[in-house]
Amino acid sequence: MDNFRRSLSVIDSDSVKMVVMSDGTRTAFVGVADNKAVNMVTSIDRMSQLLIRAVNNRTRERNYFRLYNQLLENEITEDAFDREIEEKEDDYVVSNHEDADQTDIEIALSLCPYLNVKDVDEMADLFSFSDSSIRKSLREE
C-alpha cells in the first residue's frame, strides 16, 4: 500500500477541460483551456506582483512623511533627516524606473479605483512605472 495520498480532479467548464492527478508532492495535468482563461491566470499573478509593489511604495511614502514630521517637530535636525534618507534610501524614496507594458497599465488601471488613485502621475508613483513606458504604451494603442 502506498504511503501517500493521491487525488484526482476533473475540471469541466465552458472555458477549461482538465484532468489533474496529485500525489501530494507533484501534480500532473492534461487538458484544454480557452486563451482567455489562461490569460486570466497570468493576469492574476501579475496583479499580485503589482499590488505588492504598490503596498511597498505606500510604505515608503508613509515612512518619508513620518520622518518629515519628526523634522517639522524639531525631533531631528535637517542633517539627521538628510543622512537618514541618504543611508536608507529604499525605505523612503519611491523610484519610477519600472517599464510598464500595455498589460501592466491595464491591470494597474483596474486596481486604481480600489487604491484611491486619482490620476496618471499617482498611478506611476504607486506602481513605479517610468514616464517613458507609459507614454510608449499610450502611443501603441
Side-chain angles (χ1 to χ4, degrees):
M1 188 160 170
D2 292 330
N3 291 333
F4 53 87
R5 187 177 188 166
R6 293 183 184 185
S7 67
L8 176 68
S9 301
V10 177
I11 301 169
D12 186 12
S13 71
D14 290 340
S15 59
V16 178
K17 310 267 188 232
M18 188 179 303
V19 177
V20 180
M21 177 72 150
S22 178
D23 68 5
T25 304
R26 287 181 232 110
T27 300
F29 54 91
V30 63
V32 177
D34 291 345
N35 286 345
K36 187 176 180 179
V38 173
N39 290 342
M40 180 191 289
V41 171
T42 57
S43 291
I44 289 171
D45 182 51
R46 187 61 180 152
M47 184 182 293
S48 297
Q49 293 169 357
L50 291 174
L51 281 170
I52 290 168
R53 187 185 301 162
V55 167
N56 288 337
N57 283 341
R58 285 266 165 96
T59 300
R60 286 179 183 97
E61 290 172 351
R62 187 187 70 230
N63 290 346
Y64 177 86
F65 285 111
R66 282 184 180 163
L67 187 66
Y68 187 66
N69 188 54
Q70 289 177 334
L71 175 65
L72 293 177
E73 297 291 325
N74 294 319
E75 295 173 15
I76 60 172
T77 64
E78 266 189 64
D79 287 340
F81 176 83
D82 293 339
R83 190 172 43 255
E84 177 72 11
I85 290 176
E86 186 177 309
E87 291 174 2
K88 299 178 183 171
E89 184 176 331
D90 191 50
D91 290 345
Y92 300 101
V93 178
V94 174
S95 60
N96 293 40
H97 62 278
E98 298 291 331
D99 286 332
D101 61 16
Q102 186 68 36
T103 302
D104 283 348
I105 291 174
E106 288 173 8
I107 293 170
L109 285 170
S110 73
L111 294 170
C112 284
Y114 303 103
L115 301 172
N116 199 28
V117 174
K118 303 295 184 201
D119 60 48
V120 175
D121 291 334
E122 189 177 357
M123 181 187 79
D125 289 342
L126 188 62
F127 296 104
S128 295
F129 293 159
S130 69
D131 290 337
S132 62
S133 69
I134 292 174
R135 281 192 298 276
K136 179 183 176 192
S137 179
L138 291 173
R139 276 183 260 137
E140 292 174 356
E141 283 188 356

